[in-house]
Amino acid sequence: MLELKPIINALLRSKVGAVLAILQLALTLAIVSNSLSIISERVSYLNKPTGYPEESIITFSVMSFDDKVDANQQLIVDERILKSIPGVIEAVGVSSVPLSGGGSNSGFSLTSEDDGKHTNSGHLYANEQVIRTLGVKLIEGRDFTSGDVLISSEYAKQPDVVIASKAFTDEIFGEGRGLGETIYYGGGPLKVVGIVERMTNAWPRFRNADRLIIFPMVNANGFQDFLVRTDPSLRGEVMKKIESVLLQENPNRVITNMKGLDEVKERYNSKDILMLRMLLVLITALVVVTALGIFGLTQFNISKRTKQIGTRRALGARKSAIVRYFVVENLIVCAIGLVLGTVATVFLGQKLMSLYSVPPLEVSYILITALGLIVLCIASVIFPAKKAANISPSIATRSV
Amino acid sequence: MLIMNNIGKVYQTDMVQTHALRDFNLQVNEGEFIAVTGPSGSGKTTFLNIAGMLEGYSSGQYMLDGIDVGKLNDNQRADLRNQKIGFIFQGFNLIPDLNLYENVEVPLRYRGIKAAERKRRIENCLEQVGLAGRAKHLPQQLSGGQQQRVAIARALAGEPRFLLADEPTGNLDSLMARQVMELLEQINRDGATIVMVTHDPELARRTPRNIQIVDGQVADFTLYQGKGAASQALKSQMGA
Ligand SMILES: Nc1ncnc2c1ncn2[C@@H]1O[C@H](COP(=O)(O)OP(=O)(O)OP(=O)(O)O)[C@@H](O)[C@H]1O
Ligand SMILES: [Mg+2]
């Protein structure tokens, strides 16, 4: 027997408790489901592969004060020294470090004339060791050869060929195309001789993070970045030796910023990680408060009606009818809260989307959170309702 | 209709055992109107609660309409209560969040009566207690006497054959008490059996049969005051 109508009428006449519960449920749904959506988007971003074996790569910078030395020659010498350290697989000087937040980004076009149509991409300079050092996977074409490499201190010059990430060639030439084609940079042609499955530029957080073009070019300067790929188990050892072997070769310089590429990435993402932790703490606290609130309110709502329960029992209510009454009442409140909450959730989601760059809220997060809240509501009512059903009907005559 | 044989009721609290009823014997016949009196704490409410199956008893036997109540489970007792017994409480015990209509409807819903039939009965009962125009009012909008009349309507709606009232006029002034009493007498004339606990000797004097409970036992029958058809029938039945 469904008692919906009198339950709803009774609820409407003693609104306060119900309204509180409804608001709390609605707010919790809105905040938790939006937070879950943001969290899962951030987690999948943080777990997105960069294309690099970050745990086996070391990066550092060399600051040089010795202007008598030819920087380009020194770079080649340094690469050779680094490679001789046991455990090092390959080493290369680079114009910037991927994932670091600092690098170059430019527009590339399909014609030599500037028709205003550009495809943006990150790019960096390095010699023919770079693909091996980065540990990326070449899926089409060939690697650089020493013949491709332009060693020059003139900024106007550029090499004839490049290797690009698939994300870039797909974007500019169309899916699956690009090998052997030519792109133009500052009016000069660059032939794509190789395509890498996946590599990330200096700004992983941004939309075009997976577009990167590598120029076979050495143009060293007084502040030179290096990448070293090692056997992952020997990376720590190698890191300790780098400074001494380089200073031994030429003491007039300083080695700085020595870290693993994984650490570079983590620093770049430190704000996201902090935000994730804070969001997790926030929604845990919110869920605990809501749970306590709903438990408390339900308990209170039931205990203040002891006499009414006794009366109902005296009038012929079975225990199951008492339990059902409170469960149904609780579910009505829960349902209203969730409907209201869904509206609030969508509204909050749109506000967040327009104010901050958060992705659109997926329905599944609302559903998951709503389901959790329904379980919470049922859990909070079932025990006090069972207790209430065991109230002796004699309370109806014993208490005045 | 009601037979209690050697009913005993013991309340156990911490150290103390209270014998609220002991060797309690009583027979109530169809159509009677009985007033129960007795000093405070003598066991009147306990008797009424056991009669209405709101409480169990510790010993003895209680037969209601030939059914041994001691052999029923909780659901069966709830259903039997719903079908046969109407309760009227000293504190009225209307449900504050429900309007008069919905209050009277409560026992009918528990019985699973269809909406149309419920409506007919509720309107009928509210009419009978003189509150037909107030169906949409909430209990707190009524005087005590009116509330008690709603409670009586609620007790009547299920058309019980047995009405139990614990000091139904205890919270009412004498005018209202008289009105309620007249209503109960009317209901009794219509065929219901009524057992009413009261402290008011004047009200007790109006009923055909009085019993007094002292120390958990029926102490004194002020038998058959010669009023009413039921007591006449009883007299002849008992060979008096
Ligand atoms: N739940 C209980 N636990 C312990 N003792 C109880 C309980 N209910 C009643 N009693 C005791 O049982 C005895 C009978 O109580 P009962 O309520 O039946 O008296 P009464 O005749 O209705 O009194 P009054 O006229 O004051 O309403 C009293 O001594 C009372 O203290
Ligand atoms: Mg009493």
Side-chain angles (χ1 to χ4, degrees):
Chain A
M1 168 196 51
L2 212 57
E3 295 193 79
L4 231 45
K5 201 171 146 257
I7 294 178
I8 292 172
N9 287 346
L11 266 177
L12 287 175
R13 288 179 196 124
S14 57
K15 291 191 256 311
V16 185
V19 166
L20 278 177
I22 286 170
L23 283 181
Q24 202 171 15
L25 284 166
L27 270 177
T28 307
L29 179 63
I31 294 174
V32 171
S33 55
N34 274 293
S35 304
L36 280 183
S37 166
I38 293 171
I39 286 172
S40 93
E41 191 268 340
R42 286 288 95 176
V43 164
S44 74
Y45 155 70
L46 288 172
N47 288 332
K48 191 180 161 195
T50 58
Y52 309 122
E54 294 139 28
E55 282 82 24
S56 16
I57 295 177
I58 301 169
T59 166
F60 61 90
S61 312
V62 177
M63 240 194 297
S64 180
F65 313 109
D66 193 343
D67 15 312
K68 286 183 288 266
V69 179
D70 174 14
N72 288 341
Q73 288 309 314
Q74 179 71 57
L75 181 138
I76 288 161
V77 170
D78 288 343
E79 283 178 356
R80 204 175 304 132
I81 292 169
L82 288 168
K83 222 180 147 179
S84 70
I85 302 173
V88 172
I89 295 167
E90 191 63 276
V92 71
V94 284
S95 60
S96 62
V97 178
L99 317 182
S100 67
S104 315
N105 183 69
S106 305
F108 295 82
S109 55
L110 287 171
T111 60
S112 57
E113 282 94 55
D114 189 1
D115 59 357
K117 272 197 267 176
H118 296 291
T119 301
N120 275 319
S121 176
H123 53 94
L124 62 82
Y125 308 158
N127 65 15
E128 74 274 16
Q129 282 107 272
V130 65
I131 298 297
R132 242 168 80 77
T133 310
L134 288 173
V136 292
K137 191 169 160 204
L138 199 61
I139 52 168
E140 278 186 74
R142 61 169 178 86
D143 198 352
F144 292 133
T145 63
S146 54
D148 294 327
V149 180
L150 173 72
I151 300 176
S152 166
S153 300
E154 285 176 52
Y155 284 95
K157 285 198 174 172
Q158 62 185 48
D160 302 322
V161 298
V162 291
I163 291 178
S165 65
K166 184 170 181 340
F168 174 78
T169 53
D170 281 352
E171 177 64 30
I172 192 164
F173 295 112
E175 184 81 30
R177 294 175 50 208
L179 186 67
E181 309 260 5
T182 303
I183 51 172
Y184 294 86
Y185 174 55
L190 297 161
K191 190 176 165 204
V192 178
V193 294
I195 296 177
V196 165
E197 183 183 40
R198 181 196 299 278
M199 52 184 180
T200 307
N201 65 29
W203 306 277
R205 194 180 294 122
F206 291 90
R207 198 157 46 89
N208 299 329
D210 48 4
R211 293 187 201 162
L212 180 60
I213 297 171
I214 300 178
F215 292 27
M217 187 174 165
V218 175
N219 184 357
N221 54 41
F223 192 87
Q224 180 62 44
D225 291 326
F226 281 88
L227 294 175
V228 178
R229 183 150 74 94
T230 68
D231 185 322
S233 60
L234 295 173
R235 189 173 74 164
E237 315 264 307
V238 172
M239 225 185 246
K240 278 181 228 151
K241 287 182 193 145
I242 287 174
E243 183 166 12
S244 58
V245 295
L246 287 181
L247 292 185
Q248 202 175 6
E249 205 281 323
N250 179 352
N252 291 330
R253 47 192 185 165
V254 176
I255 316 294
T256 61
N257 292 338
M258 177 93 62
K259 35 187 180 298
L261 192 62
D262 44 356
E263 198 189 333
V264 172
K265 181 181 168 188
E266 207 178 293
R267 283 197 188 192
Y268 178 83
N269 288 326
S270 60
K271 267 194 216 136
D272 300 76
I273 294 167
L274 183 70
M275 181 190 81
L276 264 187
R277 294 207 179 118
M278 275 166 47
L279 266 183
L280 273 175
V281 170
L282 177 83
I283 65 172
T284 312
L286 189 66
V287 165
V288 168
V289 168
T290 304
L292 288 178
I294 299 294
F295 270 92
L297 262 168
T298 315
Q299 191 93 42
F300 173 72
N301 272 335
I302 292 179
S303 65
K304 79 172 183 204
R305 284 183 283 187
T306 334
K307 186 170 176 193
Q308 168 179 153
I309 294 161
T311 306
R312 285 176 181 274
R313 292 276 285 138
L315 295 175
R318 291 180 172 198
K319 286 181 180 180
S320 54
I322 301 292
V323 173
R324 195 165 47 233
Y325 182 96
F326 289 113
V327 171
V328 169
E329 183 187 68
N330 199 265
L331 285 180
I332 292 172
V333 169
C334 188
I336 298 172
L338 294 184
V339 167
L340 225 85
T342 306
V343 176
T345 305
V346 171
F347 180 77
L348 180 66
Q350 279 169 355
K351 267 271 170 291
L352 285 174
M353 213 162 75
S354 65
L355 290 178
Y356 311 97
S357 58
V358 305
L361 177 69
E362 274 176 44
V363 179
S364 58
Y365 293 109
I366 308 183
L367 288 180
I368 290 168
T369 314
L371 209 71
L373 289 174
I374 291 172
V375 170
L376 177 73
C377 283
I378 293 175
S380 71
V381 75
I382 222 78
F383 182 68
K386 285 222 161 113
K387 222 169 78 184
N390 280 327
I391 288 173
S392 164
S394 69
I395 197 131
T397 48
R398 292 287 183 199
S399 67
V400 177
Chain B
M1 127 160 270
L2 170 151
I3 301 169
M4 286 186 177
N5 281 325
N6 291 321
I7 291 286
K9 173 75 184 181
V10 183
Y11 288 111
Q12 183 79 49
T13 40
D14 293 339
M15 298 274 114
V16 210
Q17 271 195 352
T18 311
H19 288 265
L21 295 180
R22 64 182 99 202
D23 292 335
F24 189 93
N25 292 294
L26 185 69
Q27 175 166 359
V28 177
N29 295 296
E30 190 86 45
E32 283 198 274
F33 191 167
I34 300 177
V36 178
T37 55
S40 186
S42 59
K44 303 182 294 296
T45 298
T46 307
F47 154 65
L48 217 58
N49 279 355
I50 290 172
M53 294 172 286
L54 300 186
E55 278 179 69
Y57 42 93
S58 316
S59 58
Q61 192 190 36
Y62 169 27
M63 305 287 289
L64 179 64
D65 267 348
I67 300 165
D68 187 343
V69 171
K71 297 211 167 89
L72 303 178
N73 66 26
D74 192 79
N75 280 346
Q76 289 168 324
R77 282 201 299 273
D79 294 348
L80 197 62
R81 200 150 62 217
N82 183 253
Q83 283 155 21
K84 301 214 161 166
I85 294 172
F87 265 104
I88 302 162
F89 307 93
Q90 178 174 1
F92 321 137
N93 290 21
L94 297 175
I95 294 169
D97 297 332
L98 300 181
N99 65 29
L100 305 195
Y101 186 96
E102 291 159 347
N103 260 290
V104 178
E105 195 176 29
V106 170
L108 302 182
R109 279 186 179 263
Y110 288 134
R111 204 186 294 186
I113 291 173
K114 293 258 167 355
E117 171 68 5
R118 285 204 304 264
K119 187 167 187 299
R120 191 191 65 74
R121 287 202 193 185
I122 295 164
E123 281 168 357
N124 212 358
C125 290
L126 283 175
E127 179 84 41
Q128 203 178 337
V129 301
L131 290 166
R134 303 231 182 184
K136 290 270 183 306
H137 283 61
L138 291 175
Q140 75 255 24
Q141 295 167 321
L142 303 183
S143 72
Q146 288 169 326
Q147 288 192 41
Q148 192 58 298
R149 272 147 56 194
V150 177
I152 292 172
R154 182 176 65 184
L156 290 179
E159 294 172 3
R161 303 212 335 276
F162 197 18
L163 270 181
L164 300 174
D166 196 352
E167 303 189 37
T169 59
N171 284 359
L172 303 178
D173 66 31
S174 57
L175 178 67
M176 288 199 179
R178 208 161 332 119
Q179 284 176 357
V180 165
M181 188 61 191
E182 276 158 18
L183 190 56
L184 290 176
E185 282 165 346
Q186 178 58 47
I187 293 161
N188 176 243
R189 277 196 293 278
D190 291 346
T193 309
I194 302 181
V195 174
M196 174 183 77
V197 170
T198 183
H199 272 127
D200 185 341
E202 197 185 318
L203 290 186
R205 233 173 286 129
R206 290 172 64 152
T207 65
R209 181 180 170 195
N210 287 4
I211 63 170
Q212 202 185 11
I213 299 179
V214 177
D215 261 352
Q217 282 184 311
V218 179
D220 171 41
F221 287 86
T222 313
L223 257 176
Y224 317 126
Q225 297 176 348
K227 292 186 289 183
S231 60
Q232 294 295 348
L234 190 70
K235 251 193 254 181
S236 54
Q237 178 191 326
M238 296 185 105

